[in-house]
Amino acid sequence: MESDSPRALRADVYYALAEAFAPDGPPEWLVRPGREWPLFAAAARLGQHSEAARRAVEVIAEIGAESLAARRARHAALFAGVGRPRFWLYESAHRSGRLLGPEAFVVERFYRMAGLEIVGAELPDHASLELAFGAFLAERQADDVERANQWQRVERRFIANHAGRWLPDLGRALARSEDVVYAPIGQLLADWLAESARPRRAATPSFRSPAIPRAEACTLCGFCVQVCPTRALAICESLTESVLVLSASACVGCAKCERVCGPGALKMSQLPLGRVSAGGRHVLRQSPRARCPGCRQPTVSEAELAYVATQIGHPAWLDYCPECRFSL
């Protein structure tokens, strides 16, 4: 979806979850590192509007790549196999212990009421289909402005009568499985359905993002950049200066940068949405780069050099680049 409205972004999360639980096995994107998943991208873009998405971003960012065969083995161990699988992906089997129970027919009628038909041989109460239906309802809320509230009520009714009666249980059980891939997805599933069932408030006019109230307190050490799960923070260097910049549209407000900031220079604060919607990168801290007295090449930022000097004193070699230090 192209729109960045919260309702359209919610549909993206629903769709990505639906793909993650596809009946024919893990999608190809699931073999990549978590940062490269469509699910990560959707959650990151929605993070300023959703606590569930914000929490998921921090965990999914740590998931590494794995071969397709290994991912399929995980999927099979959890959801397939002869007889009863470890986790059922069908509402009727999860709730009543048997496939094609009454829940399957009731949920199909729900789809038909919304103008949809089941195509293919998959049972209508599969987790992937119910999540895809949630995406459809979120899309209708984004596209059909005049009837957005009506579609929102349909979504809540669907969660209350179907998705919310078993998918959160499935998600919590997966979270307890300790599987490095499906446990985080399961936790997001549980949190997402719980959040989607609650009445949604109007968009807040501002959101929390990193700021540096006192520029001189920031040492440009870069630790905040290293822990940022969405890479919203970056240090950019030219020949003359080092700059800490924030891509506000990528920030999910997780506050990991604030927690890792040793000097306490970086604080989460309210950033007006007007600054965000305009796009671009916001400079949080800038400092000239020091130059080596020997070769005159730029070294670290003066801010970082000054901080190191407060910790160890200012020996003569500190101002030199590593190569020139050997000639002192």
Side-chain angles (χ1 to χ4, degrees), residues 17-269:
L17 283 170
E19 289 185 355
F21 290 104
D24 53 352
E28 290 186 4
W29 55 257
L30 203 66
V31 307
R32 303 198 294 264
R35 286 181 181 272
E36 299 179 16
W37 293 359
L39 181 59
F40 175 85
R45 292 166 67 203
L46 189 60
Q48 286 291 348
H49 308 281
S50 163
E51 181 64 28
R54 182 161 53 249
R55 287 196 299 266
V57 161
E58 298 185 53
V59 182
I60 293 175
E62 304 301 321
I63 297 175
E66 198 172 40
S67 69
L68 181 58
R71 292 291 207 244
R72 284 176 173 167
R74 291 182 184 279
H75 186 279
L78 296 171
F79 310 121
V82 179
R84 183 183 179 89
R86 186 175 175 188
F87 302 104
W88 283 110
L89 289 180
Y90 296 90
E91 180 181 353
S92 56
H94 184 93
R95 293 175 60 184
S96 62
R98 61 191 180 95
L99 289 172
L100 207 58
E103 295 85 357
F105 298 101
V106 176
V107 78
E108 184 174 19
R109 288 199 295 271
F110 219 110
Y111 300 158
R112 293 182 187 277
M113 182 183 67
L116 300 177
E117 296 285 340
I118 297 294
V119 177
E122 190 52 72
L123 298 179
D125 61 338
H126 191 278
S128 182
L129 290 180
E130 293 200 8
L131 288 164
F133 185 58
F136 167 80
L137 296 175
E139 279 187 328
R140 297 287 75 75
Q141 293 170 49
D143 298 339
D144 189 352
V145 178
E146 291 185 358
R147 297 198 299 164
N149 291 336
Q150 178 181 334
W151 285 113
Q152 186 181 78
R153 287 193 294 272
V154 174
E155 181 191 1
R156 292 217 193 100
R157 194 159 66 247
F158 178 71
I159 293 173
N161 294 326
H162 292 286
R165 299 190 67 178
W166 74 287
L167 285 176
D169 289 342
L170 170 65
R172 286 187 288 269
L174 284 172
R176 293 192 296 271
S177 74
E178 298 184 354
D179 184 274
V180 297
V181 175
Y182 285 98
I185 295 176
Q187 189 63 62
L188 173 58
L189 177 66
D191 294 344
W192 179 250
L193 268 297
E195 184 178 270
S196 297
R198 295 194 295 266
R200 287 189 286 281
R201 297 171 294 180
T204 179
S206 60
F207 65 79
R208 280 162 41 90
S209 69
I212 299 177
R214 293 190 307 111
E216 66 276 11
C218 172
T219 65
L220 283 173
C221 65
F223 288 147
C224 57
V225 173
Q226 295 177 38
V227 302
C228 179
T230 61
R231 296 174 179 158
L233 291 168
I235 289 182
C236 303
E237 290 189 317
S238 68
L239 290 175
T240 58
E241 69 175 357
S242 297
V243 182
L244 175 63
V245 294
L246 166 70
S247 296
S249 60
C251 176
V252 296
C254 66
K256 292 184 78 172
C257 53
E258 182 183 54
R259 293 193 292 271
V260 81
C261 183
L266 196 149
K267 304 292 184 183
M268 299 301 291
S269 64

